[in-house]
Amino acid sequence: MDINTCDKHNFEELTLGKPKKVEDVYLSTINGATIQTPKLTISKVSKKLTILLNDDMENLLCEFDNKIISLISENSEDFFEDKLSIEDAEEIYKHSFKQNKKESKISLSLNKNLTIYNKHKEQLELDNLDADDTIICLIKCKKLVFYKNYCEPLWEVFQIKLKEPEIDTKKY
């Protein structure tokens, strides 16, 4: 498994499977989309994990999104029996993260085998995590979900390392 980071990544190998109907949506598998995040801050912990993005992570996700948009366009005749231009694919594609004036965030599903640990490699539980904690994650784009009028990537976190706050030695 190749792991992409903000410093070293290659989305040229990404592949998009032909969408298959599951209930009332179509799901397309994505291969090659595992990312190790830099240190990021948790915004919210619930049934999903919401994390705030830094500029490097935003840029990485934008590159990922652009590659997926071009794959949708390239494979559109095979997938939908209709040719979609890059612009058409951009119209229907919802990006990996949400952005407002102050911040950008990504919402991650929790893998059922999620492992969380600290710097001592001790296993932690999800309720050990709080908003404002600093973490490094391994995340994966599992699927691209096609709804009636749009599609979006489904990101999942499967490993979290909790970074402990640095102790300010100047105070001593």
Side-chain angles (χ1 to χ4, degrees):
M1 164 172 71
D2 282 341
I3 296 178
N4 295 289
T5 64
C6 292
D7 299 332
K8 188 171 118 325
H9 55 277
N10 178 6
F11 292 130
E12 291 311 305
E13 304 300 311
L14 274 183
T15 59
L16 200 55
K18 187 167 181 164
K20 293 181 177 43
K21 190 168 173 84
V22 177
E23 293 169 14
D24 54 350
V25 297
Y26 283 84
L27 298 177
S28 183
T29 56
I30 298 176
N31 294 326
T34 301
I35 295 174
Q36 179 180 331
T37 69
K39 288 182 190 172
L40 297 173
T41 305
I42 297 176
S43 168
K44 186 172 151 197
V45 181
S46 59
K47 292 197 187 319
K48 288 187 165 209
L49 183 67
T50 306
I51 53 178
L52 302 175
L53 302 177
N54 62 16
D55 291 345
D56 290 341
M57 193 63 197
E58 265 183 49
N59 293 337
L60 181 68
L61 289 171
C62 283
E63 278 188 49
F64 169 84
D65 287 340
N66 290 336
K67 179 63 181 174
I68 295 297
I69 288 167
S70 75
L71 285 171
I72 291 170
S73 174
E74 286 166 27
N75 295 306
S76 58
E77 282 188 84
D78 181 35
F79 288 179
F80 315 114
E81 297 165 4
D82 196 10
K83 181 73 182 129
L84 292 178
S85 67
I86 293 280
E87 291 76 20
D88 295 336
E90 276 175 349
E91 283 289 313
I92 64 166
Y93 185 79
K94 274 193 162 183
H95 289 267
S96 293
F97 62 93
K98 292 187 175 43
Q99 198 169 20
N100 64 29
K101 285 188 178 86
K102 294 190 313 223
E103 59 195 15
S104 300
K105 333 175 165 182
I106 186 170
S107 194
L108 305 165
S109 300
L110 306 173
N111 182 295
K112 63 181 182 291
N113 299 322
L114 173 66
T115 53
I116 305 170
Y117 62 96
N118 60 17
K119 72 177 183 182
H120 307 294
K121 296 194 173 29
E122 298 164 334
Q123 288 252 276
L124 303 173
E125 297 299 317
L126 190 61
D127 49 15
N128 293 110
L129 299 178
D130 293 308
D132 296 328
D133 279 348
T134 301
I135 56 173
I136 295 175
C137 305
L138 278 178
I139 63 175
K140 181 177 180 135
C141 187
K142 290 212 12 154
K143 293 178 171 46
L144 192 59
V145 184
F146 290 90
Y147 298 96
K148 194 173 187 173
N149 301 321
Y150 67 95
C151 66
E152 66 182 344
L154 190 69
W155 287 94
E156 184 177 77
V157 58
F158 59 94
Q159 191 176 74
I160 297 173
K161 181 176 183 182
L162 177 63
K163 302 300 280 180
E164 292 174 10
E166 300 289 319
I167 297 170
D168 189 358
T169 52
K170 292 184 188 116
K171 288 183 182 169
Y172 293 104

